[in-house]
Amino acid sequence: MTYLELAYKVLEETQRLLWVDDIWRIATEKGYTKAVKKAYTKEEDNINVLDAILYEAVGKHRLRLLEKKGLYYLVDATNLPAQIETALYGPSINSYQELVTHKKVKHFLPSTQGFSGMSFLFLLIIGFPISLCLAANFQGGFYLSASLVIGISSLLLCFAVVLLLYFQFTNCSIRIHSDRINIYRTFYPKNKIVSIPIKNLVRIEVTGLGAENQLNSTFKSLTLTYQNNFSIAGAVTEQEIVTKKIRCHGYINPSTSYDPFAILIRNFESFVTLRKFLKEIAVVYNIPYQEK
């Protein structure tokens, strides 16, 4: 058996993306390394040789390399997306019950796709004309001067700050843990807005989270009503009902696939999936759930 045949055998059997070290380790565990011709005594030497041979063979037949990650795999159109997902991000979590079982955290981060274009158009079409008029009025006429340039730049900076605040307060990222829901600001500073124990949830209301349309820039919102427990004088525990409404910009539903391999974009998972998780939590904990 050659080094290349050994690698193909391991990759074929495991159906995973593997680092060269893992290929050699699995082959050793299965006893395949004993059949390799011209094998070296040191494991490190064998791994280096195997890596060189595999790198040379990438692109031939079915062998491929995810170069930035150093992962080798065999091309298989039927299960390649799942292999890449698992190799990069671990087992996919598709339900709240799986999240509890695997003790993972599910991240929902709005896609900022299109935000740069929106910012440019806002500053060009609205910010610049207003800044030009105000700066010109301040200096008493439309003529090029240092005060005009400084005035326009300063006012455009103010418009940029307003735009950043707009994005900051109309977008959030959500992390669902097995016992709580944490909500953070999407843009810098990415501070935590609120942390809500799931057992304290009283009601869940969502607006527009089921819409999959990036062209529709309507706002979407998530309203969580929960009990907030706090102590007085370190002894008596009081409860208050708190309602937290989170607004989300319309650009939060990117495509769930990326051509050409239909790989799920974990970092920008659709808020439609968030809707599914919230509905499941509502069922598990018998919490009233409402959609608008």
Side-chain angles (χ1 to χ4, degrees):
M1 181 184 292
T2 65
Y3 282 98
L4 188 60
E5 290 171 344
L6 175 145
Y8 264 84
K9 189 174 181 65
V10 171
L11 291 169
E12 189 74 60
E13 290 179 356
T14 58
Q15 289 296 302
R16 291 165 52 196
L17 284 79
L18 296 172
W19 286 279
V20 65
D21 310 63
D22 290 329
I23 293 175
W24 186 260
R25 175 182 56 77
I26 294 171
T28 302
E29 292 172 356
K30 291 179 175 286
Y32 301 153
T33 54
K34 296 176 181 178
V36 175
K37 298 176 182 177
K38 298 182 180 179
Y40 293 87
T41 305
K42 293 183 179 179
E43 183 181 54
E44 184 180 352
D45 293 335
N46 286 296
I47 291 174
N48 289 336
V49 171
L50 177 61
D51 195 20
I53 292 173
L54 287 178
Y55 193 81
E56 187 77 22
V58 169
K60 300 175 183 177
H61 304 292
R62 295 188 298 141
L63 184 65
R64 299 292 184 269
L65 170 65
L66 199 61
E67 196 157 351
K68 289 186 177 181
K69 301 291 182 180
L71 293 162
Y72 290 97
Y73 61 96
L74 299 180
V75 174
D76 187 335
T78 58
N79 65 8
L80 178 59
Q83 291 181 54
I84 293 180
E85 275 191 75
T86 302
L88 295 179
Y89 307 108
S92 178
I93 303 297
N94 297 305
S95 69
Y96 175 69
Q97 188 56 53
E98 289 181 15
L99 184 151
V100 174
T101 302
H102 293 282
K103 292 181 173 56
K104 296 280 186 179
V105 180
K106 190 71 173 180
H107 294 248
F108 296 93
L109 180 66
S111 171
T112 55
Q113 180 180 355
F115 278 20
S116 57
M118 290 171 60
S119 303
F120 176 77
L121 289 175
F122 175 81
L123 294 176
L124 180 65
I125 296 174
I126 298 176
F128 182 75
I130 295 176
S131 300
L132 178 61
C133 290
L134 291 176
N137 287 335
F138 180 77
Q139 75 168 4
F142 284 95
Y143 57 88
L144 185 62
S145 66
S147 61
L148 181 69
V149 174
I150 294 173
I152 292 174
S153 301
S154 301
L155 289 169
L156 279 176
L157 180 61
C158 292
F159 275 103
V161 171
V162 170
L163 186 64
L164 176 62
L165 290 174
Y166 167 77
F167 285 148
Q168 179 74 301
F169 288 104
T170 57
N171 290 277
C172 64
S173 59
I174 297 174
R175 300 178 190 177
I176 297 183
H177 300 250
S178 59
D179 63 337
R180 63 183 53 249
I181 298 175
N182 290 341
I183 303 175
Y184 299 81
R185 296 290 182 199
T186 300
F187 295 89
Y188 181 84
K190 299 182 179 182
N191 58 297
K192 186 186 294 182
I193 301 173
V194 66
S195 180
I196 304 172
I198 293 177
K199 65 179 182 180
N200 290 356
L201 280 170
V202 175
R203 184 179 182 83
I204 299 174
E205 298 174 73
V206 302
T207 301
L209 293 190
E212 279 283 8
N213 187 355
Q214 290 191 60
L215 300 179
N216 186 356
S217 189
T218 56
F219 283 96
K220 305 172 190 293
S221 66
L222 167 63
T223 304
L224 299 173
T225 304
Y226 61 98
Q227 291 180 347
N228 188 24
N229 302 325
F230 59 94
S231 300
I232 297 178
V236 182
T237 300
E238 295 287 335
Q239 291 184 341
E240 63 175 344
I241 301 298
V242 180
T243 298
K244 191 69 179 179
K245 185 173 184 178
I246 305 298
R247 301 179 72 190
C248 310
H249 195 272
Y251 290 91
I252 61 173
N253 289 324
S255 170
T256 55
S257 62
Y258 176 80
D259 289 336
F261 300 117
I263 303 167
L264 185 63
I265 306 174
R266 294 288 183 83
N267 291 336
F268 302 105
E269 190 137 28
S270 170
F271 269 47
V272 173
T273 313
L274 169 63
R275 173 173 167 257
K276 173 186 172 184
F277 270 71
L278 292 174
K279 290 178 76 172
E280 185 180 351
I281 289 172
V283 171
V284 172
Y285 290 89
N286 195 26
I287 302 166
Y289 175 91
Q290 183 180 357
E291 288 189 12
K292 297 179 182 179

